[in-house]
Amino acid sequence: MHTHRVFASLACAMLVASGARCSGNAKGALDGGGADVTTSDSPIDAGSSNESSTHDDAGTEPTEVALLGCPQAGYAGAFTIGGSPFQLTVDTGSAELGVASSTCTTCNVSPFYTPGATAIDEHATVSVSYVSGTGWSGEIIADDFGVPSSSISAMTRLVAIESQTGGFFTNEGCGFGTVPFAFQGIAGFGPDSLAKPGTDEPMGALASHGVPDVFAFALCGSGGELWLGGVDTSVATGPVQYTPLLNSDNYYGITIDDLQVAATSLGLTSTDIGDVVVDTDTTEFELPSSVYAKARDAIAGTAYFQAHFGTSAWFDDAYCTTPLDASPPSLAAIDSGLPTFTLAVDDGAGGSFDVTLGATDSYLQPIRKDGVLYYCPEIEENTSGGTVLGAAVMRSLLVVIDRAATRVGFASYGSCSAP
């Protein structure tokens, strides 16, 4: 979907340090206080739809792909196209497979894709644009798509990108631009219906060649993991709880019944929140105006927040700052002092289960630069009314997109390192 805050350069980081806003197209996640996934209203037994299995139902081992990047800049994994390796951004909010072509004079990335012996020219072109204002266009080519050092691959109709717009390939970097992050294309793992005519959605292409139609990811402040064809739940610190995947042609939608701050309900309903889009390529938790205001005011109304960050304007201004203290508290102290943030996720059986997140795994994102921890607000008002669960609010979570069983799973993930 591509809606992110961008920290484009060291110059931007210096502006942030002085209290200036740096915003645009980026993403990244850092872990802090951890997550706790529990049930409420509807207990889960071994025979329910929330049953946790170590691997996919077919019993095959999932293929693991290490991810680079962060919520601000995106997350990319190593894939092969035509046998050559490329770092491709993983995006659950789109469904195109695109890689910078050697004919692109404005892409400014390396390596480029050059069609080889396995490639078939489809003699068609396609253009893609994103919410952020970026985009690209190119030639549709059928070629082998897979994962290095694995047995999974599929002939896939992809796009050899010949031009870009809006700085799609701009290297924003992580850590306020101090940590390089470069990618050569995008692998959109969204629903097949999002794919442009004449192209193939990569997960669907793999599934048509026998890979179980399920994938999972865990996003950290720096890097993460992606699993294709299943999920190894041994990486989770608790059971995977599942919610129905909504019948949507456009995105992976789920239902959240309520939000809680410090275990106190905000008095919301699923109608207030609306369908919730799970999108790895959006940074923040985007909320409808009325929902955002309730969450913001509940957090900013606590004495600890006011002492260390000020008023609710801190969220509205979207500045990344250090705490107000002359000697700022530690990250652990911030998490201990600030309220938790809980998503009451519909369990599909008349009840819900709680996904409880620490402050620095949800509405505050810590980013370290030159030994100093800055904090960025990660709940954001969406004036268009939609709700998007972005990467910064999936930190410390294992998320399973089980397309075969039309469900989305959440579990605690404790393997991210502290910023």
Side-chain angles (χ1 to χ4, degrees), residues 8-406:
S9 63
L10 181 58
C12 179
M14 299 306 292
L15 289 174
V16 169
S18 63
R21 179 198 300 262
C22 293
S23 61
N25 170 18
K27 93 168 109 186
L30 293 156
D31 80 305
D36 183 25
V37 183
T38 59
T39 59
S40 63
D41 299 333
S42 178
I44 294 171
D45 58 43
S48 75
S49 64
N50 282 316
E51 181 180 354
S52 170
S53 61
T54 302
H55 303 297
D56 61 90
D57 294 337
T60 58
E61 293 284 339
T63 298
E64 185 174 346
V65 179
L67 299 178
L68 303 175
C70 58
Q72 293 80 35
Y75 293 89
F79 299 93
T80 58
I81 297 178
S84 297
F86 298 96
Q87 288 287 339
L88 305 178
T89 295
V90 174
D91 180 16
T92 61
S94 65
E96 289 80 35
L97 178 62
V99 61
S101 168
S102 57
T103 61
C104 183
T105 59
T106 62
C107 290
N108 300 318
V109 299
S110 179
F112 285 112
Y113 167 69
T114 301
T118 60
I120 301 172
D121 191 340
E122 297 289 315
H123 301 289
T125 59
V126 69
S127 296
V128 174
S129 59
Y130 300 103
V131 175
S132 62
T134 65
W136 45 263
S137 61
E139 185 82 9
I140 299 177
I141 304 288
D143 208 343
D144 187 72
F145 167 72
V147 177
S149 303
S150 81
S151 60
I152 69 169
S153 65
M155 201 67 173
T156 306
R157 292 175 298 172
L158 57 101
V159 181
I161 299 173
E162 298 175 333
S163 64
Q164 65 160 336
T165 57
F168 176 79
F169 283 110
T170 300
N171 180 9
E172 305 295 350
C174 298
F176 300 128
T178 61
V179 180
F181 173 75
F183 59 94
Q184 294 95 49
I186 187 168
F189 283 91
D192 289 341
S193 57
L194 279 178
K196 293 288 186 180
T199 68
D200 296 320
E201 180 269 314
M203 189 66 223
L206 294 175
S208 69
H209 284 69
V211 177
D213 201 5
V214 55
F215 66 94
F217 54 87
L219 308 178
C220 298
S222 177
E225 300 291 338
L226 170 72
W227 293 267
L228 301 176
V231 57
D232 183 352
T233 56
S234 67
V235 302
T237 59
V240 179
Q241 309 278 13
Y242 285 95
T243 183
L245 184 62
L246 299 180
N247 184 20
S248 171
D249 290 334
N250 295 322
Y251 301 105
Y252 297 126
I254 63 170
T255 299
I256 293 178
D257 295 329
D258 194 9
L259 300 175
Q260 303 166 21
V261 174
T264 299
S265 168
L266 296 184
L268 301 169
T269 67
S270 59
T271 301
D272 298 323
I273 298 169
D275 294 350
V276 180
V277 175
V278 179
D279 184 20
T280 59
D281 211 34
T282 290
T283 303
E284 299 89 356
F285 192 12
E286 298 186 356
L287 298 168
S289 298
S290 61
V291 177
Y292 165 76
K294 285 189 174 184
R296 175 202 63 196
D297 293 347
I299 296 165
T302 63
Y304 192 91
F305 183 91
Q306 293 169 6
H308 299 287
F309 294 95
T311 69
S312 62
W314 187 83
F315 286 104
D316 297 333
D317 293 338
Y319 295 158
C320 296
T321 66
T322 58
L324 298 173
D325 315 64
S327 298
S330 66
L331 186 148
I334 291 285
D335 261 320
S336 177
L338 287 173
T340 56
F341 193 67
T342 298
L343 317 177
V345 183
D346 178 69
D347 66 5
S352 63
F353 59 88
D354 289 341
V355 178
T356 299
L357 304 162
T360 62
D361 280 315
S362 54
Y363 56 86
L364 264 70
Q365 184 189 352
I367 299 179
R368 187 179 297 275
K369 177 183 176 294
D370 297 333
V372 177
L373 272 175
Y374 296 86
Y375 294 88
C376 305
E378 295 302 344
I379 56 171
E380 179 178 80
E381 180 181 13
N382 187 346
T383 55
S384 67
T387 298
V388 181
L389 188 65
V393 191
M394 290 188 280
R395 289 168 285 156
S396 76
L397 290 176
L398 173 67
V399 181
V400 183
I401 309 293
D402 189 344
R403 303 179 354 156
T406 61

